[in-house]
Amino acid sequence: MLGIFGAHAQDFLFWFVVLTVPVFVVPLTLTPMTWARIFQWRLPEDPDLAFYFGRCLGALAVAIEYVLWRGSRNVTIAPVAVGAMGILCAIMVAVHIDGAIRKIQPWTETAEIAFWLAATIGCVLFYPVG
């Protein structure tokens, strides 16, 4: 069973991106509360939404860390892993700056800007060229 359609992996990935970017990625990134309402969360009275978002973020982090681990062990995967990490880190800088400007996060989140910025710079400096 595993890999029975492996020859079509690129098509699968393409269509997965085509579906998930407009339905999940863009709305969750730009308008998470609107997305939550559309998906029938009761706002603001539903405290489970924060727990749900946390679990989803944790699942995404596990997947990203898997790609990074594979990239740390395989030279052919390293450019994709470092590239994905760089994009993630740069977006995290923007998200944390936005939260700081709008004063909607604790100081600990604002302090993370330095971490995400350093990681972004690291991705640029360590990107495997050639």
Side-chain angles (χ1 to χ4, degrees):
M1 266 322 220
L2 181 63
I4 192 169
F5 299 116
H8 304 286
Q10 288 179 293
D11 293 330
F12 172 73
L13 292 172
F14 174 82
W15 288 109
F16 185 83
V17 169
V18 166
L19 173 68
T20 59
V21 165
V23 176
F24 297 107
V25 176
V26 172
L28 280 171
T29 303
L30 301 178
T31 57
M33 298 314 243
T34 300
W35 177 91
R37 283 185 196 94
I38 290 169
F39 278 79
Q40 304 301 303
W41 288 93
R42 295 177 317 275
L43 300 176
E45 65 273 4
D46 200 340
D48 292 331
L49 181 60
F51 183 66
Y52 169 78
F53 279 152
R55 288 181 302 151
C56 289
L57 181 60
L60 181 61
V62 168
I64 292 288
E65 293 297 325
Y66 171 76
V67 171
L68 299 181
W69 177 256
R70 291 289 309 266
S72 76
R73 298 290 173 244
N74 185 323
V75 69
T76 60
I77 297 173
V80 173
V82 175
M85 181 180 169
I87 293 167
L88 170 67
C89 292
I91 292 170
M92 292 298 279
V93 169
V95 165
H96 284 76
I97 288 173
D98 178 65
I101 290 169
R102 296 194 304 150
K103 299 181 184 338
I104 59 170
Q105 65 194 26
W107 72 268
T108 52
E109 293 297 319
T110 300
E112 281 185 25
I113 294 169
F115 170 78
W116 292 113
L117 182 58
T120 302
I121 292 168
C123 289
V124 171
L125 297 176
F126 287 95
Y127 186 83
V129 179

